[in-house]
Amino acid sequence: MSRSIRVCSYLLLPVIYLLVNVKIIQLGESFPVTIVTFLPLLLLLYLDKINLKKLMLALGAGAGLTLFNFIFGKSLDPGKYVTSTMLFVYIVIIVGMVWSIRFKTISPHNYHKILRFFYVVVAMVVMLAAMEMAQIILTGGSSLMEGISKYLIYSNSYVLNFIKFGGKRTTALYFEPAFFALALISIWLSIKQFGIKTPKTDAMILAGIVLSGSFSGVMTFIVFYLLEWAFQYLNKEAIRKKLPLAIISLSVFIVGVVFAFPYIAERLGDLGTEGSSSYYRIIGPLVMVGYSLTNIDGVVRFGSLYEYVASFGIFNGADVGKTIDNGLYLLIIYFSWFAVLLTGWYLSKVGKMMINAFGNNQNFRVQLYLFTPISLFFTGSIFSPEYAFLIVCPFILRKALNIVNS
């Protein structure tokens, strides 16, 4: 009986991917409640044992960063400080719990039940995205996307406006294309933790990322697959035994990149175009990042981001932007050199994993740990429970599957 209950609880994880952006209620102007708002409680469903030392270490680090931000941060809107700080603390609690919890083990004979749910979720969101794209191509708009938008945490009106001017991007059940792509990559990594090959699902996920029009998503998927090719074939034993297969798989990859090159080149060109989403996400905010790292008053207190960003006058489309759509930049603006040092430390750990992964990248371990820093470039909403779920879900499954070095 306990085994059956345990499986049912893990089946909830793929279902949450469908509901992660669906709003239950709205508290105030800027706090939508979704199913993952209750993520700490949901984690208790899978709790076997918790390491209190690890949890206290995570909470202590979060408290230290919060104190640093309060002391050195410049306050431009005190009214939003409490809400913004609570969101940061909430994310620290979620990450700390996932890091410190030993999760209930999933029995191998139940793998296929959970995987089946993931396959259904992938099929649903990709088919919905395909329907949205078909409607965009045929009618120049998407009433389907507009109807779904009413039930989501944020409006995707900017995407609908983009479509009216000839753009072609989809969001499926998510509030923006980049988040849609991020969710698909998170699902892909969750599936990979089961240690099986799923070429049809891989192709469907790649199709969904392409339909989203997310440049970050396409490039991340390409990099992750290229890494897996390198880990699998660039060692003496594999080259001796699997050289033909290595050449064929690399050739297929190169052909895919050639077909995608016009799109990649166009999006790279957008990096130099002021007002484009790529420029606003990557290039424009560099002036703020530089200021935060070189000036004592460059740190911004929680809740004051909109006013700070608007003061730099960086255009996002036709309007002056008020958000940071890059999580790494956001961390630097809030925590200055602490963010840089922590990111560098984390990447050094991942670098060591990469060196040891040739011939044995167990269940996409490197890609999983690399996913966290790369995901920062998808969105600036990194203090939201919705973003946190996408990051921690593959780690939950890795630990629940009792994978070595998890």
Side-chain angles (χ1 to χ4, degrees), residues 17 185-193 220 224 227-228 231 346 350 353-354 361-375 389-399 401 403-406:
Y17 278 101
I185 294 173
S186 177
I187 292 172
W188 182 68
L189 286 171
S190 293
I191 292 172
K192 290 302 176 184
Q193 299 315 302
T220 299
F224 279 5
L227 281 174
E228 186 58 19
F231 295 142
Y346 186 88
V350 176
M353 288 184 195
M354 293 181 68
N361 182 25
Q362 189 180 47
N363 296 25
F364 284 64
R365 183 177 183 231
V366 170
Q367 289 91 327
L368 175 60
Y369 282 85
L370 193 58
F371 178 53
T372 302
I374 287 181
S375 69
F389 172 77
L390 300 188
I391 302 305
V392 302
C393 187
F395 284 96
I396 293 171
L397 288 169
R398 185 175 189 85
K399 298 181 78 171
L401 292 166
I403 296 173
V404 179
N405 296 322
S406 62

Side-chain angles (χ1 to χ4, degrees), residues 374-388:
I374 287 181
S375 69
L376 295 174
F377 291 91
F378 280 74
T379 178
S381 301
I382 60 172
F383 293 167
S384 69
E386 293 76 31
Y387 169 82

Side-chain angles (χ1 to χ4, degrees), residues 313-329:
I314 301 170
F315 280 90
N316 184 14
D319 303 317
V320 173
K322 295 183 179 180
T323 61
I324 290 289
D325 294 344
N326 184 312
L328 179 59
Y329 293 173

